[in-house]
Amino acid sequence: VQLQASGGGLVQAGGSLRLSCAASGSIFSINDMRWYHQAPGKQRELVASITSGGSTKYADSVKGRFTISRDNAKNTVYLQMNSLKPEDTAVYYCNADVEYNGRSFRYWGQGTQVTVSS
């Protein structure tokens, strides 16, 4: 299974970006999907998560600005990021809990850089 993240880039403060993360390979179903970010010199932190049924959770720092969604038919999770701030600058990683052959495994994407200029 591979997770391919895309959509990062350079944006001015107040701008928007939409990240995508598509899973491919031997997949029976995908349970929770998540986005994390990791700023230079800091630990990786959970930004948002979404269950297979569409229930969502957000870090306090992004509530009201970021929206996580998913397309189960495409095995893809999205992160719409609005009102971006310089402190949102980080590498963004997706992960997913994938079920196959009766077992669940957690996979990570390769990360996509988001840079917000002031």
mmCIF file of all heavy atoms in Angstrom, residues 7 9-19 65-66 79-84 114 116:
data_model
loop_
_atom_site.group_PDB
_atom_site.id
_atom_site.type_symbol
_atom_site.label_atom_id
_atom_site.label_comp_id
_atom_site.label_asym_id
_atom_site.label_seq_id
_atom_site.Cartn_x
_atom_site.Cartn_y
_atom_site.Cartn_z
ATOM 1 N N GLY A 7 -0.192 18.691 -3.086
ATOM 2 C CA GLY A 7 -0.932 19.918 -2.872
ATOM 3 C C GLY A 7 -0.231 20.977 -2.050
ATOM 4 O O GLY A 7 -0.742 22.082 -1.896
ATOM 5 N N GLY A 9 2.772 23.766 -0.968
ATOM 6 C CA GLY A 9 3.356 24.849 -1.734
ATOM 7 C C GLY A 9 3.607 26.057 -0.874
ATOM 8 O O GLY A 9 3.545 25.989 0.361
ATOM 9 N N LEU A 10 3.891 27.180 -1.543
ATOM 10 C CA LEU A 10 4.153 28.453 -0.878
ATOM 11 C C LEU A 10 2.936 29.350 -1.050
ATOM 12 O O LEU A 10 2.443 29.535 -2.168
ATOM 13 C CB LEU A 10 5.382 29.112 -1.490
ATOM 14 C CG LEU A 10 5.718 30.529 -1.033
ATOM 15 C CD1 LEU A 10 6.048 30.546 0.452
ATOM 16 C CD2 LEU A 10 6.875 31.088 -1.857
ATOM 17 N N VAL A 11 2.460 29.915 0.057
ATOM 18 C CA VAL A 11 1.282 30.776 0.008
ATOM 19 C C VAL A 11 1.463 31.909 1.006
ATOM 20 O O VAL A 11 2.163 31.751 2.022
ATOM 21 C CB VAL A 11 0.003 29.949 0.317
ATOM 22 C CG1 VAL A 11 0.037 29.396 1.730
ATOM 23 C CG2 VAL A 11 -1.256 30.742 0.049
ATOM 24 N N GLN A 12 0.837 33.038 0.720
ATOM 25 C CA GLN A 12 0.896 34.159 1.657
ATOM 26 C C GLN A 12 -0.071 33.938 2.807
ATOM 27 O O GLN A 12 -1.088 33.213 2.670
ATOM 28 C CB GLN A 12 0.554 35.457 0.939
ATOM 29 C CG GLN A 12 1.650 35.941 -0.006
ATOM 30 C CD GLN A 12 1.364 37.324 -0.564
ATOM 31 O OE1 GLN A 12 0.208 37.735 -0.660
ATOM 32 N NE2 GLN A 12 2.412 38.043 -0.919
ATOM 33 N N ALA A 13 0.216 34.567 3.927
ATOM 34 C CA ALA A 13 -0.683 34.504 5.078
ATOM 35 C C ALA A 13 -2.084 34.943 4.652
ATOM 36 O O ALA A 13 -2.245 35.917 3.907
ATOM 37 C CB ALA A 13 -0.161 35.375 6.203
ATOM 38 N N GLY A 14 -3.075 34.206 5.131
ATOM 39 C CA GLY A 14 -4.458 34.467 4.762
ATOM 40 C C GLY A 14 -4.934 33.667 3.565
ATOM 41 O O GLY A 14 -6.131 33.637 3.266
ATOM 42 N N GLY A 15 -4.007 33.033 2.878
ATOM 43 C CA GLY A 15 -4.343 32.254 1.700
ATOM 44 C C GLY A 15 -4.830 30.859 2.034
ATOM 45 O O GLY A 15 -4.995 30.499 3.204
ATOM 46 N N SER A 16 -5.028 30.067 0.984
ATOM 47 C CA SER A 16 -5.584 28.723 1.131
ATOM 48 C C SER A 16 -4.769 27.719 0.317
ATOM 49 O O SER A 16 -4.165 28.065 -0.706
ATOM 50 C CB SER A 16 -7.036 28.674 0.639
ATOM 51 O OG SER A 16 -7.863 29.526 1.391
ATOM 52 N N LEU A 17 -4.787 26.494 0.789
ATOM 53 C CA LEU A 17 -4.231 25.355 0.064
ATOM 54 C C LEU A 17 -5.130 24.156 0.324
ATOM 55 O O LEU A 17 -5.765 24.071 1.382
ATOM 56 C CB LEU A 17 -2.811 25.025 0.518
ATOM 57 C CG LEU A 17 -1.657 25.914 0.047
ATOM 58 C CD1 LEU A 17 -0.372 25.498 0.767
ATOM 59 C CD2 LEU A 17 -1.477 25.844 -1.451
ATOM 60 N N ARG A 18 -5.125 23.230 -0.635
ATOM 61 C CA ARG A 18 -5.848 21.984 -0.456
ATOM 62 C C ARG A 18 -4.878 20.828 -0.666
ATOM 63 O O ARG A 18 -4.318 20.676 -1.749
ATOM 64 C CB ARG A 18 -7.007 21.867 -1.446
ATOM 65 C CG ARG A 18 -7.915 20.665 -1.173
ATOM 66 C CD ARG A 18 -8.876 20.443 -2.300
ATOM 67 N NE ARG A 18 -9.957 19.521 -1.956
ATOM 68 C CZ ARG A 18 -10.563 18.723 -2.829
ATOM 69 N NH1 ARG A 18 -10.195 18.726 -4.096
ATOM 70 N NH2 ARG A 18 -11.542 17.932 -2.445
ATOM 71 N N LEU A 19 -4.706 20.028 0.379
ATOM 72 C CA LEU A 19 -3.855 18.852 0.306
ATOM 73 C C LEU A 19 -4.693 17.623 -0.033
ATOM 74 O O LEU A 19 -5.842 17.529 0.383
ATOM 75 C CB LEU A 19 -3.133 18.623 1.630
ATOM 76 C CG LEU A 19 -2.335 19.794 2.202
ATOM 77 C CD1 LEU A 19 -1.626 19.348 3.488
ATOM 78 C CD2 LEU A 19 -1.351 20.329 1.215
ATOM 79 N N ARG A 65 -10.553 26.748 10.648
ATOM 80 C CA ARG A 65 -9.765 27.147 9.480
ATOM 81 C C ARG A 65 -9.521 25.983 8.521
ATOM 82 O O ARG A 65 -9.473 26.189 7.303
ATOM 83 C CB ARG A 65 -8.407 27.713 9.922
ATOM 84 C CG ARG A 65 -8.499 28.936 10.814
ATOM 85 C CD ARG A 65 -7.142 29.572 11.035
ATOM 86 N NE ARG A 65 -6.209 28.677 11.724
ATOM 87 C CZ ARG A 65 -5.035 28.301 11.219
ATOM 88 N NH1 ARG A 65 -4.654 28.742 10.043
ATOM 89 N NH2 ARG A 65 -4.231 27.503 11.923
ATOM 90 N N PHE A 66 -9.342 24.789 9.073
ATOM 91 C CA PHE A 66 -9.040 23.603 8.263
ATOM 92 C C PHE A 66 -10.258 22.680 8.244
ATOM 93 O O PHE A 66 -10.990 22.575 9.234
ATOM 94 C CB PHE A 66 -7.869 22.828 8.837
ATOM 95 C CG PHE A 66 -6.524 23.504 8.716
ATOM 96 C CD1 PHE A 66 -6.398 24.815 8.295
ATOM 97 C CD2 PHE A 66 -5.379 22.805 9.037
ATOM 98 C CE1 PHE A 66 -5.166 25.429 8.195
ATOM 99 C CE2 PHE A 66 -4.131 23.391 8.934
ATOM 100 C CZ PHE A 66 -4.021 24.710 8.518
ATOM 101 N N LEU A 79 -7.332 17.806 2.872
ATOM 102 C CA LEU A 79 -7.258 18.798 3.938
ATOM 103 C C LEU A 79 -7.344 20.176 3.288
ATOM 104 O O LEU A 79 -6.406 20.609 2.622
ATOM 105 C CB LEU A 79 -5.970 18.668 4.751
ATOM 106 C CG LEU A 79 -5.891 19.578 5.982
ATOM 107 C CD1 LEU A 79 -6.929 19.125 7.028
ATOM 108 C CD2 LEU A 79 -4.498 19.556 6.595
ATOM 109 N N GLN A 80 -8.494 20.810 3.455
ATOM 110 C CA GLN A 80 -8.671 22.173 2.973
ATOM 111 C C GLN A 80 -8.193 23.125 4.059
ATOM 112 O O GLN A 80 -8.712 23.098 5.179
ATOM 113 C CB GLN A 80 -10.147 22.440 2.647
ATOM 114 C CG GLN A 80 -10.432 23.858 2.188
ATOM 115 C CD GLN A 80 -9.799 24.175 0.846
ATOM 116 O OE1 GLN A 80 -9.869 23.383 -0.078
ATOM 117 N NE2 GLN A 80 -9.197 25.356 0.739
ATOM 118 N N MET A 81 -7.206 23.930 3.734
ATOM 119 C CA MET A 81 -6.595 24.829 4.706
ATOM 120 C C MET A 81 -6.866 26.267 4.275
ATOM 121 O O MET A 81 -6.391 26.703 3.221
ATOM 122 C CB MET A 81 -5.092 24.566 4.795
ATOM 123 C CG MET A 81 -4.752 23.117 5.104
ATOM 124 S SD MET A 81 -2.987 22.848 5.379
ATOM 125 C CE MET A 81 -2.354 23.227 3.746
ATOM 126 N N ASN A 82 -7.638 26.977 5.084
ATOM 127 C CA ASN A 82 -7.971 28.372 4.815
ATOM 128 C C ASN A 82 -7.366 29.268 5.890
ATOM 129 O O ASN A 82 -6.980 28.793 6.965
ATOM 130 C CB ASN A 82 -9.486 28.554 4.787
ATOM 131 C CG ASN A 82 -10.160 27.757 3.690
ATOM 132 O OD1 ASN A 82 -9.587 27.522 2.619
ATOM 133 N ND2 ASN A 82 -11.387 27.330 3.942
ATOM 134 N N SER A 83 -7.312 30.550 5.605
ATOM 135 C CA SER A 83 -6.788 31.527 6.564
ATOM 136 C C SER A 83 -5.444 31.085 7.124
ATOM 137 O O SER A 83 -5.222 31.107 8.345
ATOM 138 C CB SER A 83 -7.794 31.749 7.706
ATOM 139 O OG SER A 83 -9.041 32.181 7.197
ATOM 140 N N LEU A 84 -4.566 30.683 6.249
ATOM 141 C CA LEU A 84 -3.279 30.141 6.676
ATOM 142 C C LEU A 84 -2.440 31.188 7.384
ATOM 143 O O LEU A 84 -2.480 32.393 7.049
ATOM 144 C CB LEU A 84 -2.527 29.575 5.478
ATOM 145 C CG LEU A 84 -3.032 28.191 5.033
ATOM 146 C CD1 LEU A 84 -2.611 27.891 3.605
ATOM 147 C CD2 LEU A 84 -2.525 27.121 5.983
ATOM 148 N N VAL A 114 4.383 22.689 3.261
ATOM 149 C CA VAL A 114 3.529 23.874 3.230
ATOM 150 C C VAL A 114 4.309 25.014 3.859
ATOM 151 O O VAL A 114 4.775 24.895 4.997
ATOM 152 C CB VAL A 114 2.213 23.643 3.993
ATOM 153 C CG1 VAL A 114 1.432 24.946 4.141
ATOM 154 C CG2 VAL A 114 1.368 22.587 3.293
ATOM 155 N N VAL A 116 4.036 29.162 4.617
ATOM 156 C CA VAL A 116 3.167 30.335 4.663
ATOM 157 C C VAL A 116 4.040 31.544 4.981
ATOM 158 O O VAL A 116 4.663 31.601 6.044
ATOM 159 C CB VAL A 116 2.060 30.178 5.705
ATOM 160 C CG1 VAL A 116 1.108 31.370 5.653
ATOM 161 C CG2 VAL A 116 1.295 28.876 5.494
#
